[in-house]
Amino acid sequence: MDRKQIVQQASQLKTKDDLLKILNLIKKAEIEDMGFDSSMYHPFTEKQINFYCNPNHTFHRYRQFKIKKKSGGFRQITAPRTQSYMMMLSAINELLRSMYTPSEYAMGFTDGRSVVTNANVHVGMEYVYNIDLKDFFPSIHQARVWKRLQVPPFKFTQSIANLLAGLCCMKESREDDKGNKKDIYVLPQGSPTSPIITNMICDKLDYYLSRLAKRFNMNYTRYADDITFSSMRFVYSKNGKFIQELHRIIKEQGFTINESKTRLQRRGARQEVTGIIVSDKLNVTQKYVRDIRNLLYMWDRYGYNVAYSKFFPKYKEEKGHIKKGNPDLINVIDGKLMYLKMVKGEEDSVYTRLHTKFIKLANKDVIAEKTNSKGVTYLETNSIADFEKKNFTKIIFAISEKGHHYAYFMLNEKKILVSVNKSLTIEEEQNKDILVISTCRGKDDKPFWLIHRKDKVMVPPPPIVDIDKLNEELDSLLNTC
């Protein structure tokens, strides 16, 4: 279902049944685009939309957890609790994305823009000024969402806007100045629809701040709650006109500046915008390059298992919460290199050197001790119970239209297919206690999931390594950066 079709259908929205119909059309199109058969499609029901549109049902709709911030501390994430609710919000997100394009100054949560395009605006400037909006998502109340949905480009009726705002917001209890608890309705941080709604709400903020920037001959961009100005001359006096106007506009638009994260970066020192160095050209930090190099070094010298065993605890500690299951080291390094290329360019000597080393290692049979006679490499194995608990999901066994046995689970609103060992009987499939799920790589090096009996294939523990010697070599690497 393309955007023109969605917009055409959305222009006729008047009742709850109309909304349910368009969400189901979007859901069905997404399932077909993913290549699944028709048996995978289960339409949203009126009962579901009636339940999920009531933000008072917070506990039944959301689960909360904390992830580490790069700047220290934790950020609380409020994510949909059930797959049906997650998929409904994803369909709403597609509806909104089809109808709305963020302002030219919004660099986050929109197609064709990223932290790189955001940083590129501010390269080579004398001054770079960063501010952060405090409690960005939960500072946007349901009433603002409701009103925004009734004006262009949406122009939804009050009843449709009320349904959508209820579906996308949640109840939160807060204390007032006198210590009395009060229920308010706000955007959750972690919902699929919250990012685009923040851009919708911030249209006016972007308009006024871009005009302020032009008035003082400055550049302006916003990446979610991260706002950046840059200029060739100093206009940042605490009592100056620019700072006064900046605070007035942000307050009038219903936001608060997080003063502890305000930074003025002068030329000659390291200037960063959304984690990217912009002093003279786009660049990453030395630590970023060093981390890739250290992983490649361990992999080359000690093998994949040792590199993974040293990498994973640190990765988990830094992330605080791993939402997609335990990571494949190869995919992580590949992703880091893709980001490095995006920032520094494909011809950059640092990127080409690291990428060449990575390709050489990835093509090498460094994990042959976990590869069976059919060329399948077992990267990690978990019991079904542990896997479901860690990933907040459920593994479902099914039979395709052609009679093939397979399984699937939902992860981050996507249906993930899982291969099932052909020797398993139907009775064994129903006994999850004897089964495990492994992340694997085929002989074509493509990753896939496999369910099999736990007594058939087990991933061996990493070989014993002299940790003192390994740490000495890593310390030596750090000193040469």
Side-chain angles (χ1 to χ4, degrees):
M1 192 174 186
D2 62 33
R3 291 193 171 191
K4 287 184 179 180
Q5 291 174 310
I6 294 175
V7 172
Q8 184 179 4
Q9 292 273 347
S11 65
Q12 303 170 23
L13 282 176
K14 296 190 184 310
T15 67
K16 185 187 299 180
D17 286 341
D18 294 335
L19 179 60
L20 196 58
K21 180 180 177 181
I22 192 171
L23 295 182
N24 278 322
L25 286 172
I26 292 171
K27 180 181 181 181
K28 187 174 182 181
E30 286 183 347
I31 287 175
E32 290 173 351
D33 289 343
M34 293 168 67
F36 296 130
D37 57 52
S38 57
S39 64
M40 296 285 193
Y41 171 65
H42 301 286
F44 301 124
T45 64
E46 185 177 353
K47 183 179 179 180
Q48 285 177 319
I49 202 169
N50 286 339
F51 179 82
Y52 291 138
C53 75
N54 186 344
N56 288 318
H57 295 153
T58 298
F59 174 77
H60 299 286
R61 297 194 305 163
Y62 290 100
R63 60 184 177 88
Q64 293 185 324
F65 55 90
K66 292 180 179 180
I67 62 173
K68 281 190 175 181
K69 295 181 181 179
K70 288 184 179 180
S71 55
F74 290 86
R75 174 180 287 110
Q76 182 162 285
I77 300 296
T78 305
R81 183 177 291 276
T82 66
Q83 291 298 334
S84 59
Y85 184 40
M86 172 71 87
M87 294 184 75
M88 185 175 289
L89 290 175
S90 296
I92 294 171
N93 185 53
E94 187 61 30
L95 171 66
L96 299 179
R97 285 178 68 246
S98 299
M99 303 181 72
Y100 168 75
T101 301
S103 80
E104 63 181 292
Y105 306 99
M107 298 296 171
F109 317 125
T110 184
D111 294 340
R113 306 177 203 173
S114 65
V115 290
V116 176
T117 54
N118 183 51
N120 196 47
V121 174
H122 306 284
V123 171
M125 304 301 289
E126 286 292 329
Y127 300 93
V128 176
Y129 186 68
N130 297 107
I131 63 172
D132 183 87
L133 300 181
K134 188 177 181 181
D135 300 325
F136 183 53
F137 288 89
S139 67
I140 296 175
H141 291 215
Q142 183 171 328
R144 292 182 74 179
V145 179
W146 177 70
K147 290 179 181 178
R148 180 67 182 88
L149 290 169
Q150 295 176 61
V151 299
F154 307 103
K155 296 191 281 189
F156 291 135
T157 64
Q158 287 190 5
S159 60
I160 293 296
N162 192 48
L163 279 170
L164 289 171
L167 284 162
C168 297
C169 294
M170 62 173 281
K171 181 173 74 174
E172 188 177 277
S173 295
R174 293 185 189 174
E175 288 187 358
D176 58 22
D177 296 337
K178 297 181 181 180
N180 300 316
K181 282 194 173 182
K182 180 182 178 182
D183 290 338
I184 60 172
Y185 299 88
V186 298
L187 277 184
Q189 180 164 332
S191 168
T193 53
S194 292
I196 192 169
I197 291 175
T198 58
N199 277 340
M200 289 157 44
I201 297 297
C202 287
D203 273 344
K204 279 190 177 180
L205 178 69
D206 289 340
Y207 173 74
Y208 289 121
L209 291 184
S210 63
R211 287 184 63 185
L212 177 65
K214 288 177 182 176
R215 178 179 159 192
F216 287 89
N217 197 26
M218 307 168 77
N219 301 314
Y220 161 72
T221 60
R222 180 182 58 80
Y223 192 96
D225 56 352
D226 195 330
I227 290 173
T228 305
F229 293 90
S230 61
S231 63
M232 296 304 291
R233 63 189 185 94
F234 183 81
V235 294
Y236 307 97
S237 297
K238 188 175 181 180
N239 298 318
K241 290 184 178 179
F242 168 73
I243 295 295
Q244 289 181 344
E245 277 294 286
L246 173 63
H247 282 250
R248 180 188 66 79
I249 291 169
I250 288 176
K251 185 177 180 180
E252 284 185 354
Q253 292 302 309
F255 297 104
T256 304
I257 295 176
N258 188 343
E259 298 291 352
S260 65
K261 292 187 177 181
T262 298
R263 293 180 301 157
L264 176 61
Q265 304 169 89
R266 293 175 171 82
R267 193 175 180 86
R270 190 171 81 179
Q271 298 171 313
E272 281 189 32
V273 174
T274 46
I276 298 175
I277 297 171
V278 297
S279 304
D280 297 304
K281 63 178 182 179
L282 294 182
N283 207 346
V284 298
T285 63
Q286 282 188 342
K287 181 182 180 303
Y288 189 87
V289 174
R290 188 171 63 224
D291 286 346
I292 300 174
R293 193 175 73 166
N294 287 354
L295 285 172
L296 293 175
Y297 175 84
M298 285 188 287
W299 185 0
D300 186 30
R301 185 168 178 84
Y302 294 101
Y304 182 92
N305 282 347
V306 173
Y308 186 88
S309 66
K310 292 291 287 183
F311 148 80
F312 179 67
K314 184 179 178 183
Y315 181 88
K316 191 171 184 179
E317 181 184 359
E318 288 178 350
K319 294 293 182 183
H321 174 78
I322 299 175
K323 61 182 181 180
K324 295 184 180 179
N326 292 347
D328 177 353
L329 179 58
I330 294 176
N331 289 340
V332 169
I333 297 176
D334 190 36
K336 285 179 173 290
L337 287 169
M338 287 177 66
Y339 179 79
L340 185 64
K341 180 175 74 170
M342 184 170 66
V343 175
K344 293 174 72 69
E346 191 170 6
E347 304 301 321
D348 179 78
S349 60
V350 174
Y351 165 74
T352 55
R353 187 167 66 250
L354 292 174
H355 185 254
T356 300
K357 182 73 171 177
F358 169 69
I359 294 299
K360 180 181 177 182
L361 288 168
N363 289 336
K364 219 173 137 187
D365 191 15
V366 295
I367 43 179
E369 67 273 12
K370 295 191 293 184
T371 302
N372 65 19
S373 59
K374 295 182 179 179
V376 175
T377 300
Y378 293 80
L379 299 174
E380 184 189 23
T381 297
N382 286 286
S383 70
I384 299 291
D386 285 347
F387 181 85
E388 292 178 334
K389 183 178 179 180
K390 284 193 292 186
N391 295 288
F392 302 99
T393 191
K394 201 78 174 173
I395 293 175
I396 307 297
F397 287 90
I399 301 176
S400 70
E401 293 178 347
K402 295 182 179 180
H404 299 303
H405 286 233
Y406 69 98
Y408 65 89
F409 60 89
M410 301 301 299
L411 196 63
N412 298 320
E413 75 191 80
K414 292 184 179 180
K415 186 164 286 189
I416 309 297
L417 292 180
V418 182
S419 298
V420 174
N421 191 287
K422 292 181 179 179
S423 65
L424 289 181
T425 65
I426 295 177
E427 290 75 20
E428 287 174 328
E429 289 178 5
Q430 294 173 350
N431 184 6
K432 291 185 177 181
D433 290 339
I434 67 169
L435 301 178
V436 291
I437 181 169
S438 294
T439 50
C440 305
R441 282 186 174 274
K443 58 184 178 182
D444 57 359
D445 204 38
K446 291 183 179 179
F448 66 95
W449 298 89
L450 176 67
I451 289 176
H452 52 90
R453 283 188 293 272
K454 63 183 179 182
D455 59 338
K456 291 296 181 182
V457 180
M458 295 299 291
V459 177
I464 298 173
V465 175
D466 186 335
I467 296 299
D468 290 336
K469 183 179 180 182
L470 175 59
N471 287 331
E472 284 177 8
E473 292 177 355
L474 291 178
D475 290 339
S476 176
L477 273 176
L478 293 177
N479 294 331
T480 59
C481 290

